[in-house]
Amino acid sequence: MTDQSLRLKTYVQQLGGQVQFTRLMAEQGYSCSRSLLNQTCNHGVLPKRNGDAYKQAINQVLRTAGMDAESAWLPQSESGPANAHPPKIGASGSVPSINQLPRTTQRGDSTAMMNKTKATLEPEHLRHFSLSDDPFFDLADHREIWLNNHLEYVKHLIQRTAENRGMMVLTGDYGAGKSTLLRHVLGEMIASGKAEIIMPDRLDRRAMHGDMLTLAIVDQLGGGMRIPRSVLQRDRLAKRLLTTAMERGEHPLLVIDEAHDLRTELFVALKRLWDSGLIFREIGILLVGTGGKDAGGRSWGLRWEIEGNPDIREFAERAHLVDLGRLAATLPEYLAWRFRKVGAALDEVFAPGAVEVLTEQAQTPQLVGIYAVGAMREAYLDGALKVSADHVLRV
């Protein structure tokens, strides 16, 4: 253990951050929590059990990325070998697979682009395909949402969590629609007048602590009353407000999005807040964050945190863990819904083979939009009136 952070901390950041790095470690057959990785990066801490296997998994991820694994264990301030800084991808002859690593090294380096970015359909593209508007532009109204059977069920579970004052953790891959579904469900609950949605006001989830939970409750339920400066008085006031809300038949629901960044201590605080009612539980808790199971069935992100972090066992054993899952089978329906929103038919723009290839490539609603717009722009450049599978594969 050291008082200095390791060079590993910089390498982890360059490979996409702690969530991505733990996912890469899982692909090496070793699952670890972000809290453990954070302790390793900042203090050199290794697990008491299987410490060698843990270190070997980290080294393998670094080597796959073309980095010098040995230098990762040096303190940040100490000079390492000449090749300690990560080389450009390809310099070592070891190129990660497309599903493994974001191709970022040092600023200014020319690297392969791994992140798909959103583009828009320009007026000339819309005229070419006889469209009135871009089908994939962001929708502002929370009521406008596409739901398949599974998403309908997840919506029901969120509503039930609020009504029964339960605890639920919702996970899903990047771009799977977690935040979109959350806005839709919460908008409906607020419109019904029976739900009081409490969202702690701190963008940096890693900086959140237990006192912010009761502060958010008082701020939302207190109706503008003065917030006590004393933590003890604030806790007591929050409890009274929750009891009053329950007596009025309301359903307070504490919601934290981007929960994959929460610290261990906050999971413990959430469980104790949830279990603080003398006879009845007085608040529901919903956490939403990135995570799930990879193609090999291994948990990652927030899902791994819930299943694999022994320090939050008291929370994990009481929370319902729900995953959005893979939506590939119903993505053609989502694609057709998007075109109907602008008064068009999917088969007038995309050939059947193109839709099949697009949903295989994309896997999530967000990526479907990115691939669809990119493929339509490619078809426009070719002068084709319909998007083909080849146009999709060029994106």
Side-chain angles (χ1 to χ4, degrees), residues 144-157:
E144 293 186 296
I145 188 171
W146 170 80
L147 298 173
N148 62 10
N149 290 338
H150 182 61
L151 294 177
E152 287 278 11
Y153 181 62
V154 174
K155 174 181 174 179
H156 164 72
L157 291 178

Side-chain angles (χ1 to χ4, degrees), residues 5-18 21 41-42 62 67 71-72 74-77 84-86 104-106:
S5 60
L6 301 181
R7 187 168 291 160
L8 173 65
K9 182 175 182 179
T10 299
Y11 291 3
V12 168
Q13 292 170 347
Q14 291 169 336
L15 292 177
Q18 293 180 3
F21 198 89
C41 291
N42 289 306
L62 296 175
M67 296 179 174
S71 69
L74 296 174
Q76 286 274 31
S77 59
H85 290 288
T104 55
T105 55
Q106 297 177 21

Side-chain angles (χ1 to χ4, degrees), residues 109-311:
D109 283 354
S110 175
T111 58
M113 296 301 295
M114 293 302 299
N115 293 329
K116 297 293 184 184
T117 55
K118 294 179 74 171
T120 58
L121 294 173
E122 305 295 340
E124 59 268 26
H125 304 132
L126 299 178
R127 287 193 298 270
H128 180 77
F129 291 106
S130 301
L131 295 174
S132 61
D133 203 351
D134 185 343
F136 300 98
F137 206 76
D138 293 334
L139 299 173
D141 192 337
H142 72 270
R143 293 169 297 184
E144 293 186 296
I145 188 171
W146 170 80
L147 298 173
N148 62 10
N149 290 338
H150 182 61
L151 294 177
E152 287 278 11
Y153 181 62
V154 174
K155 174 181 174 179
H156 164 72
L157 291 178
I158 295 174
Q159 293 168 333
R160 187 177 176 187
T161 297
E163 292 167 1
N164 295 350
R165 301 179 180 87
M167 283 201 301
M168 175 176 163
V169 178
L170 177 62
T171 63
D173 207 344
Y174 302 99
K178 302 180 298 296
S179 296
T180 300
L181 179 63
L182 182 63
R183 284 192 295 270
H184 170 70
V185 179
L186 297 186
E188 285 195 349
M189 293 171 65
I190 293 171
S192 72
K194 291 186 177 181
E196 285 284 356
I197 307 302
I198 301 163
M199 303 184 77
D201 188 18
R202 188 64 184 260
L203 293 179
D204 184 358
R205 299 295 191 257
R206 289 165 294 187
M208 288 182 64
H209 52 79
D211 290 345
M212 292 180 178
L213 303 178
T214 51
L215 179 62
I217 292 170
V218 173
D219 187 47
Q220 177 64 32
L221 303 182
M225 67 172 55
R226 186 182 66 84
I227 299 176
R229 298 182 65 180
S230 164
V231 174
L232 180 60
Q233 291 179 347
R234 193 161 62 232
D235 290 349
R236 289 173 177 170
L237 176 57
K239 188 167 180 56
R240 287 200 305 272
L241 291 170
L242 287 173
T243 301
T244 302
M246 186 182 70
E247 292 171 348
R248 290 198 300 258
E250 297 172 352
H251 304 291
L253 180 66
L254 179 69
V255 180
I256 302 179
D257 199 1
E258 308 295 337
H260 47 267
D261 281 336
L262 295 179
R263 296 183 303 156
T264 294
E265 294 79 2
L266 199 72
F267 286 100
V268 177
L270 284 165
K271 183 270 169 184
R272 293 175 183 173
L273 169 65
W274 178 73
D275 219 12
S276 62
L278 183 61
I279 301 176
F280 302 104
R281 293 192 176 96
E282 298 171 331
I283 190 170
I285 294 175
L286 172 64
L287 304 186
V288 181
T290 302
K293 287 185 177 291
D294 62 20
R298 296 179 291 264
S299 297
W300 63 279
L302 179 58
R303 187 179 183 98
W304 191 94
E305 196 76 26
I306 299 299
E307 293 179 338
N309 185 350
D311 295 333

